[in-house]
PDB file of all heavy atoms in Angstrom:
ATOM      1  N   LEU A 109     -40.251 -32.973  12.452  1.00 93.00           N
ATOM      2  CA  LEU A 109     -39.374 -33.026  11.282  1.00 93.00           C
ATOM      3  C   LEU A 109     -39.860 -32.116  10.153  1.00 93.00           C
ATOM      4  O   LEU A 109     -39.437 -32.265   9.006  1.00 93.00           O
ATOM      5  CB  LEU A 109     -39.280 -34.475  10.782  1.00 93.00           C
ATOM      6  CG  LEU A 109     -38.738 -35.481  11.803  1.00 93.00           C
ATOM      7  CD1 LEU A 109     -38.992 -36.898  11.326  1.00 93.00           C
ATOM      8  CD2 LEU A 109     -37.263 -35.233  12.040  1.00 93.00           C
ATOM      9  N   GLY A 110     -40.719 -31.182  10.471  1.00 91.00           N
ATOM     10  CA  GLY A 110     -41.300 -30.301   9.451  1.00 91.00           C
ATOM     11  C   GLY A 110     -40.293 -29.410   8.758  1.00 91.00           C
ATOM     12  O   GLY A 110     -40.565 -28.898   7.669  1.00 91.00           O
ATOM     13  N   ASP A 111     -39.094 -29.260   9.359  1.00 92.00           N
ATOM     14  CA  ASP A 111     -38.108 -28.381   8.737  1.00 92.00           C
ATOM     15  C   ASP A 111     -37.532 -28.942   7.437  1.00 92.00           C
ATOM     16  O   ASP A 111     -36.893 -28.208   6.682  1.00 92.00           O
ATOM     17  CB  ASP A 111     -36.979 -28.049   9.717  1.00 92.00           C
ATOM     18  CG  ASP A 111     -36.258 -29.279  10.238  1.00 92.00           C
ATOM     19  OD1 ASP A 111     -36.848 -30.381  10.218  1.00 92.00           O
ATOM     20  OD2 ASP A 111     -35.100 -29.134  10.671  1.00 92.00           O
ATOM     21  N   ILE A 112     -37.774 -30.214   7.126  1.00 93.00           N
ATOM     22  CA  ILE A 112     -37.291 -30.748   5.841  1.00 93.00           C
ATOM     23  C   ILE A 112     -38.303 -30.511   4.714  1.00 93.00           C
ATOM     24  O   ILE A 112     -38.002 -30.768   3.553  1.00 93.00           O
ATOM     25  CB  ILE A 112     -36.914 -32.241   5.917  1.00 93.00           C
ATOM     26  CG1 ILE A 112     -38.131 -33.145   6.095  1.00 93.00           C
ATOM     27  CG2 ILE A 112     -35.870 -32.493   6.979  1.00 93.00           C
ATOM     28  CD1 ILE A 112     -37.826 -34.620   5.885  1.00 93.00           C
ATOM     29  N   ILE A 113     -39.478 -30.018   5.058  1.00 92.00           N
ATOM     30  CA  ILE A 113     -40.500 -29.729   4.040  1.00 92.00           C
ATOM     31  C   ILE A 113     -40.192 -28.375   3.405  1.00 92.00           C
ATOM     32  O   ILE A 113     -40.073 -27.372   4.095  1.00 92.00           O
ATOM     33  CB  ILE A 113     -41.916 -29.713   4.648  1.00 92.00           C
ATOM     34  CG1 ILE A 113     -42.239 -31.058   5.294  1.00 92.00           C
ATOM     35  CG2 ILE A 113     -42.954 -29.349   3.580  1.00 92.00           C
ATOM     36  CD1 ILE A 113     -43.531 -31.061   6.089  1.00 92.00           C
ATOM     37  N   LYS A 114     -40.049 -28.380   2.103  1.00 89.00           N
ATOM     38  CA  LYS A 114     -39.855 -27.132   1.366  1.00 89.00           C
ATOM     39  C   LYS A 114     -41.220 -26.528   1.109  1.00 89.00           C
ATOM     40  O   LYS A 114     -42.150 -27.212   0.705  1.00 89.00           O
ATOM     41  CB  LYS A 114     -39.161 -27.384   0.029  1.00 89.00           C
ATOM     42  CG  LYS A 114     -37.736 -27.845   0.157  1.00 89.00           C
ATOM     43  CD  LYS A 114     -37.151 -28.064  -1.221  1.00 89.00           C
ATOM     44  CE  LYS A 114     -35.762 -28.613  -1.138  1.00 89.00           C
ATOM     45  NZ  LYS A 114     -35.200 -28.904  -2.455  1.00 89.00           N
ATOM     46  N   ASN A 115     -41.343 -25.252   1.333  1.00 82.00           N
ATOM     47  CA  ASN A 115     -42.595 -24.557   1.116  1.00 82.00           C
ATOM     48  C   ASN A 115     -42.372 -23.565  -0.016  1.00 82.00           C
ATOM     49  O   ASN A 115     -41.733 -22.536   0.159  1.00 82.00           O
ATOM     50  CB  ASN A 115     -43.023 -23.846   2.398  1.00 82.00           C
ATOM     51  CG  ASN A 115     -44.465 -23.414   2.354  1.00 82.00           C
ATOM     52  OD1 ASN A 115     -45.103 -23.437   1.314  1.00 82.00           O
ATOM     53  ND2 ASN A 115     -44.972 -23.004   3.490  1.00 82.00           N
ATOM     54  N   ASN A 116     -42.855 -23.894  -1.205  1.00 81.00           N
ATOM     55  CA  ASN A 116     -42.650 -23.066  -2.390  1.00 81.00           C
ATOM     56  C   ASN A 116     -43.889 -22.226  -2.660  1.00 81.00           C
ATOM     57  O   ASN A 116     -44.997 -22.733  -2.643  1.00 81.00           O
ATOM     58  CB  ASN A 116     -42.370 -23.948  -3.607  1.00 81.00           C
ATOM     59  CG  ASN A 116     -41.185 -24.854  -3.391  1.00 81.00           C
ATOM     60  OD1 ASN A 116     -40.118 -24.392  -3.020  1.00 81.00           O
ATOM     61  ND2 ASN A 116     -41.359 -26.141  -3.605  1.00 81.00           N
ATOM     62  N   VAL A 117     -43.681 -20.949  -2.944  1.00 72.00           N
ATOM     63  CA  VAL A 117     -44.780 -20.058  -3.299  1.00 72.00           C
ATOM     64  C   VAL A 117     -44.490 -19.525  -4.699  1.00 72.00           C
ATOM     65  O   VAL A 117     -43.393 -19.033  -4.977  1.00 72.00           O
ATOM     66  CB  VAL A 117     -44.899 -18.880  -2.293  1.00 72.00           C
ATOM     67  CG1 VAL A 117     -45.996 -17.925  -2.711  1.00 72.00           C
ATOM     68  CG2 VAL A 117     -45.146 -19.412  -0.886  1.00 72.00           C
ATOM     69  N   PHE A 118     -45.474 -19.626  -5.589  1.00 72.00           N
ATOM     70  CA  PHE A 118     -45.313 -19.191  -6.971  1.00 72.00           C
ATOM     71  C   PHE A 118     -46.328 -18.094  -7.292  1.00 72.00           C
ATOM     72  O   PHE A 118     -47.464 -18.143  -6.827  1.00 72.00           O
ATOM     73  CB  PHE A 118     -45.579 -20.350  -7.947  1.00 72.00           C
ATOM     74  CG  PHE A 118     -44.661 -21.521  -7.740  1.00 72.00           C
ATOM     75  CD1 PHE A 118     -45.036 -22.587  -6.942  1.00 72.00           C
ATOM     76  CD2 PHE A 118     -43.422 -21.535  -8.345  1.00 72.00           C
ATOM     77  CE1 PHE A 118     -44.191 -23.655  -6.747  1.00 72.00           C
ATOM     78  CE2 PHE A 118     -42.574 -22.610  -8.154  1.00 72.00           C
ATOM     79  CZ  PHE A 118     -42.956 -23.672  -7.353  1.00 72.00           C
ATOM     80  N   VAL A 119     -45.918 -17.142  -8.096  1.00 64.00           N
ATOM     81  CA  VAL A 119     -46.816 -16.126  -8.609  1.00 64.00           C
ATOM     82  C   VAL A 119     -46.637 -16.118 -10.119  1.00 64.00           C
ATOM     83  O   VAL A 119     -45.506 -16.048 -10.610  1.00 64.00           O
ATOM     84  CB  VAL A 119     -46.503 -14.729  -8.024  1.00 64.00           C
ATOM     85  CG1 VAL A 119     -47.425 -13.682  -8.614  1.00 64.00           C
ATOM     86  CG2 VAL A 119     -46.615 -14.747  -6.514  1.00 64.00           C
ATOM     87  N   THR A 120     -47.731 -16.186 -10.854  1.00 71.00           N
ATOM     88  CA  THR A 120     -47.663 -16.175 -12.308  1.00 71.00           C
ATOM     89  C   THR A 120     -48.021 -14.782 -12.806  1.00 71.00           C
ATOM     90  O   THR A 120     -49.057 -14.227 -12.437  1.00 71.00           O
ATOM     91  CB  THR A 120     -48.641 -17.209 -12.899  1.00 71.00           C
ATOM     92  OG1 THR A 120     -48.311 -18.494 -12.364  1.00 71.00           O
ATOM     93  CG2 THR A 120     -48.552 -17.244 -14.412  1.00 71.00           C
ATOM     94  N   PHE A 121     -47.161 -14.224 -13.647  1.00 67.00           N
ATOM     95  CA  PHE A 121     -47.385 -12.903 -14.215  1.00 67.00           C
ATOM     96  C   PHE A 121     -47.652 -13.040 -15.701  1.00 67.00           C
ATOM     97  O   PHE A 121     -47.146 -13.956 -16.352  1.00 67.00           O
ATOM     98  CB  PHE A 121     -46.162 -12.007 -13.998  1.00 67.00           C
ATOM     99  CG  PHE A 121     -45.908 -11.683 -12.553  1.00 67.00           C
ATOM    100  CD1 PHE A 121     -45.075 -12.479 -11.790  1.00 67.00           C
ATOM    101  CD2 PHE A 121     -46.525 -10.607 -11.951  1.00 67.00           C
ATOM    102  CE1 PHE A 121     -44.849 -12.200 -10.462  1.00 67.00           C
ATOM    103  CE2 PHE A 121     -46.308 -10.315 -10.616  1.00 67.00           C
ATOM    104  CZ  PHE A 121     -45.467 -11.108  -9.867  1.00 67.00           C
ATOM    105  N   GLY A 122     -48.429 -12.125 -16.231  1.00 74.00           N
ATOM    106  CA  GLY A 122     -48.742 -12.133 -17.653  1.00 74.00           C
ATOM    107  C   GLY A 122     -47.618 -11.545 -18.472  1.00 74.00           C
ATOM    108  O   GLY A 122     -46.622 -11.028 -17.951  1.00 74.00           O
ATOM    109  N   LYS A 123     -47.805 -11.584 -19.762  1.00 73.00           N
ATOM    110  CA  LYS A 123     -46.829 -11.067 -20.704  1.00 73.00           C
ATOM    111  C   LYS A 123     -46.594  -9.576 -20.443  1.00 73.00           C
ATOM    112  O   LYS A 123     -47.538  -8.816 -20.218  1.00 73.00           O
ATOM    113  CB  LYS A 123     -47.375 -11.269 -22.115  1.00 73.00           C
ATOM    114  CG  LYS A 123     -46.393 -11.239 -23.206  1.00 73.00           C
ATOM    115  CD  LYS A 123     -47.080 -11.572 -24.521  1.00 73.00           C
ATOM    116  CE  LYS A 123     -46.093 -12.089 -25.520  1.00 73.00           C
ATOM    117  NZ  LYS A 123     -46.737 -12.447 -26.767  1.00 73.00           N
ATOM    118  N   GLY A 124     -45.350  -9.159 -20.460  1.00 75.00           N
ATOM    119  CA  GLY A 124     -45.020  -7.744 -20.301  1.00 75.00           C
ATOM    120  C   GLY A 124     -45.079  -7.244 -18.862  1.00 75.00           C
ATOM    121  O   GLY A 124     -45.065  -6.037 -18.635  1.00 75.00           O
ATOM    122  N   GLU A 125     -45.193  -8.133 -17.894  1.00 73.00           N
ATOM    123  CA  GLU A 125     -45.283  -7.721 -16.495  1.00 73.00           C
ATOM    124  C   GLU A 125     -44.009  -8.053 -15.713  1.00 73.00           C
ATOM    125  O   GLU A 125     -44.053  -8.350 -14.530  1.00 73.00           O
ATOM    126  CB  GLU A 125     -46.489  -8.378 -15.827  1.00 73.00           C
ATOM    127  CG  GLU A 125     -47.815  -7.934 -16.405  1.00 73.00           C
ATOM    128  CD  GLU A 125     -49.006  -8.574 -15.724  1.00 73.00           C
ATOM    129  OE1 GLU A 125     -48.896  -9.744 -15.297  1.00 73.00           O
ATOM    130  OE2 GLU A 125     -50.040  -7.908 -15.621  1.00 73.00           O
ATOM    131  N   ASP A 126     -42.860  -7.963 -16.404  1.00 74.00           N
ATOM    132  CA  ASP A 126     -41.594  -8.284 -15.757  1.00 74.00           C
ATOM    133  C   ASP A 126     -41.320  -7.382 -14.557  1.00 74.00           C
ATOM    134  O   ASP A 126     -40.750  -7.832 -13.564  1.00 74.00           O
ATOM    135  CB  ASP A 126     -40.439  -8.174 -16.755  1.00 74.00           C
ATOM    136  CG  ASP A 126     -40.485  -9.269 -17.799  1.00 74.00           C
ATOM    137  OD1 ASP A 126     -41.198 -10.265 -17.584  1.00 74.00           O
ATOM    138  OD2 ASP A 126     -39.807  -9.115 -18.832  1.00 74.00           O
TER     139      ASP A 126
END
Side-chain angles (χ1 to χ4, degrees):
L109 301 167
D111 58 337
I112 69 168
I113 301 172
K114 292 180 184 177
N115 195 348
N116 303 308
V117 177
F118 301 94
V119 178
T120 303
F121 294 91
K123 200 175 203 178
E125 295 181 326
D126 291 344

